[in-house]
Amino acid sequence: RAAQEAARQNEERLKKDIAELRRRAEAAQETLVVRTQELGMTSQDQVQRYEKELAVLKDHNNKLLNDLDAALRSVPEKLRIDSDKIREVEASVAAAQAAKDAELQEALRRTAADKDRALELQRQQYEFWLEKKTSELKRFMAELETYKAEKTRQMVELEGHAFYLLDYCNALATVLANFEKGLYPVYEKSGVKAVQIPEKAKPGPLNAETLRDIAKYKKRAEDFARLHPTGLSVTYTEDNPAGRAAA
């Protein structure tokens, strides 16, 4: 656009210069005619000489005008050439801009694709770890339920053993109390006195399986206490029959 404006200004300036030269040439011709008339030459030789000079001046002026006309006619061609160059430059600029836009669009597309791939990879990793942790949690819960069930079974078993021992101890205590009260008959055999306890009052021997279970749980408790020391000691006395822990 700047080149077109400069060419237009040059054309206007040339037109003004040509108009000014034409005006000067016409003025010079008029001046020569007037001077010739004023001189009132009588000599034919002088008239012919001035006529020749006037013809030379006219030829010179006509040549100058023709050159200026040719220059003026060449202005549109120059403008056309300049316009073609401008259009070529504009086309090159447009092509470069289009190439840059296409490159930018491709970069944006690749960036978006890379972002989508990264998000998809993160989603897959999240689902993988979520599934893994969920599986581990389910396995842990199943193991916990198994552990709780086993411990519940052991507690119920120990509770049964405790009640069994309680009943057995109560039976022994009853036998001793009755013995001290003299409720059982005494007889002598081979010079040895003995107390005859009724069969129904005797608790009988302890259950061997129960004793094995109690011994097993006792060992587990001792192992646990050894591996996890608390710094506490237990003493069973008349003042502490329950064996409460004391520091």
Side-chain angles (χ1 to χ4, degrees):
R1 291 191 182 91
Q4 290 178 344
E5 180 63 23
R8 187 187 63 78
Q9 292 177 358
N10 290 333
E11 182 181 3
E12 294 293 334
R13 181 175 56 79
L14 288 173
K15 287 181 179 180
K16 289 180 181 179
D17 291 343
I18 291 172
E20 179 65 19
L21 289 173
R22 282 179 176 174
R23 185 185 64 78
R24 289 181 181 181
E26 292 174 355
Q29 289 180 357
E30 292 177 356
T31 301
L32 288 174
V33 172
V34 171
R35 290 292 300 275
T36 301
Q37 292 177 355
E38 287 178 353
L39 288 174
M41 296 177 182
T42 57
S43 174
Q44 187 66 28
D45 293 336
Q46 289 180 342
V47 172
Q48 291 178 356
R49 182 169 57 83
Y50 280 108
E51 286 180 352
K52 290 180 180 180
E53 292 178 357
L54 181 59
V56 171
L57 182 59
K58 286 182 179 181
D59 291 339
H60 177 73
N61 289 337
N62 289 331
K63 185 177 183 302
L64 180 61
L65 291 175
N66 292 332
D67 292 341
L68 290 175
D69 287 338
L72 184 60
R73 284 193 298 271
S74 67
V75 169
E77 179 65 18
K78 186 175 184 301
L79 288 176
R80 184 188 65 77
I81 295 174
D82 292 340
S83 298
D84 293 340
K85 292 181 178 179
I86 291 172
R87 283 193 294 271
E88 290 177 359
V89 172
E90 289 179 346
S92 299
V93 172
Q97 184 64 38
K100 288 294 182 182
D101 291 341
E103 183 178 354
L104 177 60
Q105 292 296 327
E106 178 62 20
L108 292 175
R109 187 192 64 77
R110 288 197 301 269
T111 301
D114 293 341
K115 181 179 179 181
D116 292 340
R117 283 194 296 270
L119 289 175
E120 178 63 18
L121 179 60
Q122 290 181 356
R123 185 188 65 79
Q124 293 176 0
Q125 291 177 345
Y126 170 78
E127 291 180 352
F128 169 78
W129 288 111
L130 178 61
E131 183 178 356
K132 181 177 178 62
K133 292 301 180 182
T134 301
S135 177
E136 291 178 355
L137 180 59
K138 288 181 179 179
R139 185 172 62 255
F140 171 77
M141 292 300 297
E143 293 175 354
L144 179 61
E145 291 299 324
T146 302
Y147 175 81
K148 287 171 60 178
E150 177 61 20
K151 291 304 176 183
T152 300
R153 185 193 65 78
Q154 293 177 4
M155 290 176 63
V156 171
E157 187 176 38
L158 284 173
E159 185 179 19
H161 293 338
F163 282 123
Y164 171 77
L165 291 176
L166 178 63
D167 293 340
Y168 194 88
C169 290
N170 286 335
L172 288 178
T174 300
V175 170
L176 289 176
N178 291 338
F179 176 76
E180 290 177 349
K181 292 177 182 180
L183 298 179
Y184 300 129
V186 178
Y187 65 94
E188 185 175 352
K189 182 179 180 180
S190 300
V192 178
K193 291 182 179 182
V195 178
Q196 187 176 2
I197 301 174
E199 290 296 329
K200 63 179 181 179
K202 296 178 181 180
L206 286 171
N207 185 280
E209 184 177 355
T210 301
L211 292 177
R212 285 194 299 269
D213 287 343
I214 292 174
K216 177 182 65 177
Y217 289 124
K218 178 176 178 295
K219 185 177 184 305
R220 288 182 180 178
E222 290 173 348
D223 292 341
F224 181 84
R226 185 175 63 257
L227 295 174
H228 304 84
T230 61
L232 302 176
S233 61
V234 178
T235 303
Y236 296 92
T237 63
E238 293 182 359
D239 297 331
N240 185 22
R244 296 183 182 279

